[in-house]
Amino acid sequence: METAALVAPVTALEFLQDAFLLTGEGPVLTVYSLPPPPKACASLSVLQHYRIHGIRRRILPAFPPQSSAPETFEKKKDGLSSRTEPSFYDLAVFGGKAVRVVRLHDGERLRLEILGPLLELQDWALDVRWLSGEMRLCVAVAHNSALLLDVSTGIALAQQSCMEGCLLYSALLLVHKSWSDTVLVGGTVFNQLVLWKPGGGCNSDHKAPVERRLLGHSGVIFSITYLLEEGWLASASDDRSVRVWAVGALGGSGGKCGDLNPACLRVLFGHQARVFSVHLSPGRVFSAGEDGACLVWDWAGGGTVVRTLKGHRAGGVRALAVSEGTATQERWVATGGANAGVRLWQVVESLDRKETQEEAVTEKLTDLKFSGQGVPKAVCIAEDHENTYWSQFKCVVCTDRGVVYQYRDKQWEMVWQGPAEFQSYCVMESITISVKNSTAKVDLCAVGNLSGSIQVFQLSHPQSGILLKAGSGKIHSLIWQEGDKKDMHLLASGAEGLTYHWFVEVKLNKNSSLALSVKPLPPFLLPPCAKRWLTAAVRLPSTSQGMLWVCGDRRGSLLLFQEEDHLEPNWEDESDGKQTEENGDRNSETKDRKDMHDVKLQPLSCLLGVHGKQGVTSVYEHQGLLYSTGRDGFVRVFKVKQTATGKPEGSGKDGLQLVVLRVLRACKGMEWLERVLILKSENPEEEMEGELKEVTMEAKQMEKKGREARFVILGFHATNFVVWDPVKQERLLAVPCGGGHRSWSLWPFRQGYWSGYGALVFIKQGTVMASQSPGESSSWDVLARTGGWELREGIHGRGIGCVCRLGTVRATKNETQTKGIVGRDEVRAVDIEEGQWEIVATGGEDTSLTVLAVNSNSGNIKVLSVITDHISGIRTMAVVTAHERECENQLLSALLVSASGRAQMHCYRLSIGWDNQRLVPSCQVVQVASHRLDEHWERKRNRHKMVKMDPETRYMSVAVVEEKTDLTLLALGCSDGAVRLFSISETNRQIDLLWETFYHQRCVLSVATCILEDGKGNRYRLLFSAATDGKIVLWDLTETPSLLSTGTQSRAPSPPIPSLDVPAHQSGVNSLAVRVEKQGHQDGGCLVTVASGGDDGQLTVSRIRVKYPENGTFGSSRGLQSQHQGLLHLSVHSQLYVPLAHAAPLTALRLLRPGLMVTTSSDQRVCLWRVCNTNVSLREVLCSHIADAAGLAVWEGWVKGEEDEERKTGFESKQEVAIWGGRESLTRLVRRSKTGGSFSKERETGDKPVEAVSKTDDPIYRIRDEKTDETGSECNQTEAVSQDQAEREVNTDTGSKTSSERRKSRGKTGWVLVCGQGFQLLRVRNTETDEQMWTEERTREGGGESKE
């Protein structure tokens, strides 16, 4: 087994001279280049089965060009370079009980190179430092000891312990030129900081005394940092505090230990949970903790928080790094989260600014200093498409005196003053419109009043406006909407539910002046209700059904209107070419308006009150799908569907109907939603590439189909205006505007897209405010600092409880996709052409369901969709998958069912295809149905006579019993001791509870099913359930699907009677796996293998003998039924036990193929077992990088050739070669490996192999054999590395093997996906060999069994 992809918490971060960022995720070291846009450049697995917890750079001395020091010269084709700056960085990478030296080559192509063997210690390494100018490392270990290692020879030169022989949670080494100058600061388990000198004097016990002791923390200390310039020490603790100490000079020449009486300068409280990391700079303190926030403190100004950096979901920040800074006092800040995400921020450090956190937030608000008449009531941004700079933005304000002002170039000027009827109340909207037959654009403004009058005018020529009439009542709202031909529509919601509609056009007259033309269209009539006015509208692209409008009203309803083609005004016959003054003659226009407004359009389809009584706030169309928002806190994704037959309720005369596909809730407390904006790429290079790519016909066809796009939600959370990303579950922008009851406008509003930055203009207490000063720059690389750059996307902030595979999507070949991709992006081009993406769904403790695409070749991971409908942690999932063909792209369609705590279950239809524009898979989520037991109980009759169900019931496991076209049966194991059977109807969008049985009387942990078929084509269904008593119960469910297929669903079937009890474990059974061994056995039955894993760590394999009914008619596929149960005869044939299969409770178990089984446990081992008739033997063991493993998914696939391995990202390091000082040292390293020992050839039978390590004279560490794989497991070793092999293999930046050593053909490959605190995708080689052995053994056993 070997790793193909890994998602784990980021536990180490380090900057290299503001040029690179190094990250440690599990054992994988990754390098990012920092110049915007930041991106990953190299990656390599270096610590095998250990997690990286620290990266330390070696400071090389600067040699003159004449020097012969080999470290300072870069070898090139034409000789040695004369650079005094080295072209590489030597890094000490440590974590767990291991240390390794890695070199980063900084040339035309970044690459990582392993220099030495893996040095394994006998204690946990807490800190590692290079001695100045030497190839020696000082290592601080957990039992308050330190040692000096010679990296080149691999020998421990010195080792010293402290008299305070306690356990350390953190340590800081301060080194200088020699071992005697070293000072160690340790954070003890007793909440103290102790300072001592490893190279100093010792007492009679040969232990160093404690020089200083710092007291004050009430929790263990997780992180320590020191600022040499000021002599300050900072510590982060479990007590949620950060303390800054004045300790004086530490380390240096002579190993100074600072002041005799160090004092605590500051105690900083601001985190809501434990503080994991702290860093000191001359003006700031940076701290990060379990609450997911990185706080920037101004320690000199009272210890206040001046900035909060939040970009990680639940689970917190596990790593923090701060760069050295530049002359402008700009620093990079990097945070690594438990969700495997990496964020990069830029912080400007100023010593003379001392503001509180509240002042830091409100400092961004700028008063535009409105100086006009009256009080501002409405504000709109006049968007100028030729100018994209915030410093030159324009906005329009209308006051309570009916006066319109324009803000431009930091000045206010009056544009239009209305008559008295426009005072005290007005609504205003502005838009930019293209001039007909010209490239020019003008800004239009519409103002409505209480008497039904609407003034439409150009901001540049307000005197040439047109006065429109929309009834005699109040104008509730004005909406501008662009048409197909770039023409403009104006909607005005008037009295009595009438929405008036005009065509608006600006064109050039013969005298080259601009003329405004308006033509009326039939109004829309809203359904009767108390609040009968329009709040949102969108015009759909023209289709064969005509021109369609989707509107939202104040009642919360969504309405579909159809506009007839013959009602389009004839612009050729128009006579309204003259510009009309306010007091001019409008008789002609009024006559046309009356004639056209006599025709009222009725809604074709209506979704009544879907957004609640607070109303719909916006409707937006993108690529065939519609998105609506409301003040109920939900976003609804829906579409216009034409019914094939009949006219269902709510559809129009042409069978058009609005169908809701998905309902998405924003974050908790964000109820007032305003609109959605489509999310653009955070990487501007990708965005530019996307704009330059030619859109193929396939892409256009996919767009017409309609794929849900990534979008952000705009709304109000308490008193803040918030831009929320529902996928990342984070705020992209927050402006303290005071709440939603105000007029506001967001810049830039580029046709419904969010570009990663924005500025809000709003009215607060009669003042026009902006979230950004107009004089400031607003380019991408400046405004993005507020949200930071996302270098790696996070997955789940907390543990992943379950995982299932949906299928495979292959990238389609397209010449335009790889055009212009060169250099470091060559791997990406290969992935596009030949990549295979595995689609998986994961359910987490953070209540989210995530759909992911994992590239099995490159290890890249893309988040396709995040569903947050559950109110409790997701415990189990099941999937029913079907493939389709569409637009020459493979469309993967799956019915996904997820179940969680609070007895909640959701069902979704997922459609996954290939996006030819973004070059990644795309996912469309359609919500089918949902179910909760408490809601089901509330609908029961006579429920007062029944005992109420437990509302805290948790669904523990789910299994598919039956799959039909429109009927899916599911069995669920529940924590209240019940086994429940549900039916799902996708057509009716309904989930029904059929029956429940409390036979177990205790928590049911796992359920599984299988289908049997005899020689006559009759099918039988078995259900297996296991509870905390260690027993497995078998149920015969053959009759249930037959009852439902004959139309007796109104009479729910009764629960069956258990057919067999099988004792398997001493305690709870966490996982079941079932496989039918022999179909159509000659004795009229078959054998069923049931594998189970329990809390006792035992693996049990039970073989159940099944005998079919003699008549062979019960439960047949033809619908024949029997009124008797238990006709299947079940008995236990044999049982096999592995008592200590794992050192902890076995949490998940799956059958990869016949004779091959995979198990995992919280002991972080993934075991591959060979199952035979007489025994279960261990084939292979891998120590996973995933803590708290809880779920497994397994499948098989074909590998065409060994050349696929060339695209590996360096997770494996089976044959790492140390390049250190030339051929001689290489031979010496390999000789160590050869003499280290050998493995037993009986490893496949489960016998323990001999440990292959080479021990030295120093007992504190050992050198790991380079032949072992990344897990260090003895079961993976087959033979020693030969010297010839080592000389042929060259370690590249991806860690891949040379092509000359690859074989050209491969068979089937198994895949194992382990989930827990992250997930790891494993590749299992040559699974066909195990199946052949299993088949041969079963064939030999068949004769013996038949004789029985």
Side-chain angles (χ1 to χ4, degrees), residues 804-807 839 878-884 891-897 907-912 924-926 928 986:
C804 65
R805 173 180 176 264
L806 307 182
I839 310 300
V879 64
V880 180
T881 308
H883 289 272
E884 300 176 4
L891 179 66
L892 178 66
S893 181
L895 189 70
L896 181 66
V897 179
C907 180
Y908 306 93
R909 170 62 65 180
L910 306 180
S911 299
I912 299 100
Q924 172 63 56
V925 181
V926 177
V928 176
E986 193 170 359

Coordinates of all heavy atoms in Angstrom, one line a residue, residues 804-807 839 878-884 891-897 907-912 924-926 928 986:
C804 N -17.9 7.8 1.3 CA -18.3 6.9 0.3 C -17.9 7.4 -1.1 O -17.8 8.6 -1.3 CB -19.9 6.6 0.3 SG -20.9 8.0 -0.1
R805 N -17.6 6.4 -1.9 CA -17.2 6.8 -3.3 C -18.4 6.8 -4.2 O -19.2 5.8 -4.2 CB -16.2 5.8 -3.8 CG -15.8 5.9 -5.3 CD -14.8 4.9 -5.6 NE -14.4 5.0 -7.1 CZ -15.0 4.2 -8.0 NH1 -15.9 3.3 -7.6 NH2 -14.6 4.3 -9.3
L806 N -18.5 7.8 -5.1 CA -19.6 7.9 -6.0 C -19.3 7.3 -7.4 O -20.2 6.8 -8.0 CB -20.0 9.4 -6.1 CG -20.4 10.1 -4.8 CD1 -20.8 11.5 -5.1 CD2 -21.4 9.4 -4.0
G807 N -18.0 7.5 -7.8 CA -17.7 7.0 -9.1 C -16.4 7.7 -9.6 O -15.7 8.4 -8.9
I839 N -14.6 10.7 -7.4 CA -15.6 11.5 -6.8 C -16.0 10.8 -5.5 O -16.5 9.7 -5.5 CB -16.8 11.8 -7.7 CG1 -16.4 12.2 -9.1 CG2 -17.7 12.8 -7.0 CD1 -15.6 13.5 -9.0
A878 N -25.0 6.5 2.4 CA -25.2 5.4 1.4 C -25.4 6.0 0.0 O -25.9 7.2 -0.1 CB -26.4 4.5 1.8
V879 N -25.0 5.3 -1.0 CA -25.1 5.9 -2.4 C -25.6 4.9 -3.3 O -25.4 3.7 -3.2 CB -23.7 6.4 -2.8 CG1 -22.7 5.3 -2.9 CG2 -23.8 7.2 -4.1
V880 N -26.5 5.3 -4.3 CA -26.9 4.5 -5.4 C -26.5 5.3 -6.7 O -26.9 6.4 -6.9 CB -28.5 4.4 -5.4 CG1 -28.9 3.5 -6.6 CG2 -28.9 3.7 -4.1
T881 N -25.6 4.7 -7.5 CA -25.0 5.3 -8.6 C -25.4 4.8 -9.9 O -25.6 3.6 -10.1 CB -23.4 5.2 -8.5 OG1 -23.0 5.6 -7.2 CG2 -22.7 6.0 -9.5
A882 N -25.6 5.7 -10.9 CA -25.9 5.3 -12.3 C -25.2 6.2 -13.2 O -25.0 7.4 -12.9 CB -27.4 5.4 -12.5
H883 N -24.8 5.7 -14.4 CA -24.0 6.5 -15.3 C -24.9 6.8 -16.5 O -25.8 6.1 -16.9 CB -22.8 5.7 -15.9 CG -21.7 5.5 -14.9 ND1 -20.7 6.4 -14.7 CD2 -21.5 4.5 -13.9 CE1 -19.9 6.0 -13.7 NE2 -20.4 4.9 -13.3
E884 N -24.7 8.0 -17.1 CA -25.3 8.5 -18.3 C -24.3 9.0 -19.3 O -23.1 9.1 -19.0 CB -26.3 9.6 -18.0 CG -27.4 9.2 -17.0 CD -28.3 10.3 -16.6 OE1 -28.1 11.4 -17.2 OE2 -29.2 10.1 -15.8
L891 N -21.4 11.6 -17.7 CA -22.1 12.3 -16.6 C -22.4 11.2 -15.5 O -23.0 10.2 -15.8 CB -23.4 12.9 -17.0 CG -24.3 13.5 -16.0 CD1 -23.6 14.8 -15.4 CD2 -25.7 13.9 -16.5
L892 N -21.9 11.5 -14.3 CA -22.1 10.6 -13.2 C -23.3 11.0 -12.4 O -23.3 12.2 -11.9 CB -20.8 10.5 -12.4 CG -20.8 9.6 -11.1 CD1 -21.0 8.2 -11.5 CD2 -19.6 9.9 -10.3
S893 N -24.3 10.2 -12.2 CA -25.5 10.5 -11.5 C -25.6 9.6 -10.3 O -25.4 8.4 -10.4 CB -26.7 10.4 -12.3 OG -27.9 10.8 -11.6
A894 N -25.8 10.1 -9.1 CA -25.8 9.4 -7.9 C -26.9 9.9 -7.0 O -27.1 11.1 -6.8 CB -24.4 9.4 -7.2
L895 N -27.6 8.9 -6.3 CA -28.5 9.3 -5.3 C -27.8 9.0 -3.9 O -27.4 7.9 -3.6 CB -29.8 8.4 -5.4 CG -30.9 8.8 -4.5 CD1 -31.6 10.1 -4.9 CD2 -32.0 7.6 -4.5
L896 N -27.6 10.1 -3.2 CA -26.8 10.1 -2.0 C -27.7 10.3 -0.8 O -28.5 11.3 -0.8 CB -25.7 11.2 -2.0 CG -24.8 11.2 -0.8 CD1 -24.0 10.0 -0.6 CD2 -23.9 12.5 -0.8
V897 N -27.6 9.4 0.2 CA -28.4 9.5 1.4 C -27.4 9.7 2.6 O -26.5 8.9 2.8 CB -29.3 8.3 1.7 CG1 -30.1 8.4 3.0 CG2 -30.2 8.1 0.5
C907 N -31.7 13.3 1.5 CA -31.4 12.6 0.2 C -31.2 13.6 -0.9 O -31.9 14.6 -1.0 CB -32.6 11.7 -0.1 SG -32.4 10.8 -1.6
Y908 N -30.1 13.4 -1.7 CA -29.7 14.3 -2.7 C -29.5 13.5 -4.0 O -29.0 12.4 -4.0 CB -28.5 15.1 -2.4 CG -28.5 15.8 -1.0 CD1 -28.1 15.2 0.1 CD2 -29.0 17.1 -1.0 CE1 -28.1 15.8 1.3 CE2 -29.0 17.7 0.3 CZ -28.6 17.1 1.4 OH -28.6 17.8 2.6
R909 N -29.8 14.2 -5.1 CA -29.4 13.7 -6.4 C -28.2 14.5 -6.9 O -28.3 15.7 -7.1 CB -30.5 13.8 -7.4 CG -30.2 13.5 -8.9 CD -29.7 12.1 -9.1 NE -30.7 11.1 -8.8 CZ -30.5 9.8 -9.0 NH1 -29.3 9.3 -9.3 NH2 -31.4 8.9 -8.7
L910 N -27.1 13.8 -7.1 CA -25.8 14.5 -7.5 C -25.6 14.2 -9.0 O -25.6 13.0 -9.3 CB -24.7 14.1 -6.6 CG -24.8 14.2 -5.1 CD1 -23.6 13.7 -4.4 CD2 -25.1 15.7 -4.7
S911 N -25.3 15.2 -9.7 CA -24.9 15.0 -11.1 C -23.5 15.6 -11.3 O -23.3 16.8 -11.2 CB -25.9 15.7 -12.1 OG -27.2 15.1 -11.9
I912 N -22.5 14.8 -11.6 CA -21.1 15.2 -11.7 C -20.7 15.0 -13.2 O -20.9 13.9 -13.8 CB -20.2 14.4 -10.8 CG1 -20.6 14.6 -9.3 CG2 -18.8 14.8 -11.0 CD1 -21.4 13.6 -8.7
Q924 N -23.7 19.2 -9.6 CA -25.0 19.8 -9.5 C -25.7 19.0 -8.4 O -25.9 17.8 -8.5 CB -25.8 19.8 -10.7 CG -27.2 20.2 -10.6 CD -27.4 21.7 -10.1 OE1 -26.8 22.5 -10.8 NE2 -28.0 21.9 -9.0
V925 N -26.2 19.7 -7.3 CA -26.9 19.1 -6.2 C -28.4 19.4 -6.3 O -28.7 20.6 -6.4 CB -26.3 19.6 -4.9 CG1 -27.0 18.9 -3.7 CG2 -24.8 19.3 -4.8
V926 N -29.2 18.4 -6.2 CA -30.6 18.5 -6.2 C -31.1 17.8 -4.9 O -30.9 16.7 -4.7 CB -31.3 17.9 -7.5 CG1 -32.8 18.0 -7.4 CG2 -30.8 18.6 -8.7
V928 N -33.6 16.0 -2.8 CA -34.8 15.1 -3.1 C -35.8 15.1 -2.0 O -37.0 15.4 -2.2 CB -34.3 13.7 -3.4 CG1 -35.5 12.8 -3.6 CG2 -33.4 13.7 -4.6
E986 N -38.1 9.3 -5.4 CA -37.5 10.5 -6.0 C -38.6 11.3 -6.7 O -38.5 12.5 -6.8 CB -36.4 10.1 -6.9 CG -35.5 11.3 -7.3 CD -34.2 10.9 -8.0 OE1 -34.0 9.6 -8.1 OE2 -33.5 11.8 -8.4

